Amino acid sequence: MMTLITGGSKSGKSRYAEKIPDTFTGKKIYIATMRPYGDEAADAIIRHRKMRSGKGFETVEQYTDIHRISLPADCSILLECMGNLCANEMFTDGAVCDPTEKIITGVIHLKKIASELIIVTNETGSDGISYESGTQKYISVLGEINRQLAAIADNVIECVYGIPVALKGEVLC
Amino acid sequence: MKMIVGGAFQGKTRIAEKIFSLRADDIINGAVCSIEECYSAVCIKNYHELIRRIMNNNIDPVEFTQKLCSENPEAVIIMDEIGCGIIPIEKNERIYRELTGRSGCIIAENSDLVIRVCCGIMTVIKGEINEDKIYSSRKNIGES
């Protein structure tokens, strides 16, 4: 089962995503994709760690190359967040690339390993602002990745101020 | 509480007026109202603007929202969804987005009815519309 969770920033996506594996008995893996650059990233990481503590997650930090992760079969995986992974793959080495195919291949790899795969992504295309070309490219690439993820997901949930709204499949909890 | 959310200019206030039978003077505007008015208001629109204003006055919007939920639990809160975009470059804008998101989550949690409006079309995303919920805001006014 694969569930994609989208929504704006600070819309309660993580809190909701972390509730889903509560019902699973197998090993719970949290794939953290945020690079700990700067105070705010560090604060966000601390806040998320606090939120996850006591929920039995094992954290794997993987900023790029999710297709290389090896994990035990039948674990449940929560990957957070696609927005960071996409930015890391696109911008890390100076040149801007399109990582869509690489990321989708990586997700399919995780989907094969996991009994449950939950991916948190980000809705970046709805603020009506035109950005410079690098950022516009990022918005379009993340949009394309989100569309492809939604197509292979069983459930697609949008969080609105903490309320899960099913766009595809069903709300799990 | 009741909550109406959606992007800017989607028809949220009009839906609120219709669903909760609000008169124009039942609705205060978060962009200009006083903080004290909020504790007794039937409906507060532009709550995201109120968050920006109180933040600029060094009041914690999350604490204010928690207090509002306990002191005015029947209020109808109308606010924009503002988080769907690129993380702003300005630090204050990032803080504003974070505090608006957290405050919105608190209001949604305390609401028995949450409606989302897009292009004038409403979708109930929490609870359900029934007569009691619709008229409780008006009943409050009658009682006071």
Side-chain angles (χ1 to χ4, degrees), chain B residues 47-108:
Chain B
Y47 192 78
H48 58 289
E49 294 281 355
L50 180 71
I51 290 172
R52 191 186 284 284
R53 286 172 55 225
I54 61 176
M55 204 181 108
N56 291 340
N57 286 320
N58 294 321
I59 300 170
D60 181 345
V62 171
E63 280 173 23
F64 170 76
T65 301
Q66 280 161 339
K67 191 174 168 201
L68 182 70
C69 291
S70 63
E71 299 214 356
N72 192 359
E74 290 303 319
V76 176
I77 307 293
I78 304 172
M79 71 188 286
D80 284 8
E81 277 179 80
I82 61 140
C84 293
I86 293 295
I87 296 171
I89 291 172
E90 278 281 320
K91 181 162 187 180
N92 258 343
E93 288 298 307
R94 291 199 293 276
I95 295 172
Y96 168 64
R97 237 165 58 136
E98 169 125 22
L99 295 175
T100 304
R102 287 201 203 166
S103 301
C105 286
I106 292 167
I107 294 168

Side-chain angles (χ1 to χ4, degrees), chain A residues 7-12 40 47 123-127 131 135 138-139 158 160-163 165, chain B residues 3 5 79-81 83-86 91 94 97-98 100-102 104-105 108 114 116 125-126:
Chain A
S9 116
K10 314 303 167 192
S11 61
E40 285 174 56
R47 201 166 58 81
E123 174 52 51
T124 54
S126 305
D127 61 6
Y131 295 90
T135 307
Y138 170 75
I139 295 170
E158 182 185 10
V160 182
Y161 288 131
I163 296 172
V165 179
Chain B
M3 185 183 194
V5 299
M79 71 188 286
D80 284 8
E81 277 179 80
C84 293
I86 293 295
K91 181 162 187 180
R94 291 199 293 276
R97 237 165 58 136
E98 169 125 22
T100 304
R102 287 201 203 166
C105 286
V114 181
R116 187 184 209 194
I125 61 170
K126 182 180 177 184

Side-chain angles (χ1 to χ4, degrees), chain B residues 112-129:
Chain B
D112 49 13
L113 178 63
V114 181
I115 294 169
R116 187 184 209 194
V117 183
C118 183
C119 301
I121 299 163
M122 61 173 225
T123 310
V124 175
I125 61 170
K126 182 180 177 184
E128 54 187 56
I129 294 179

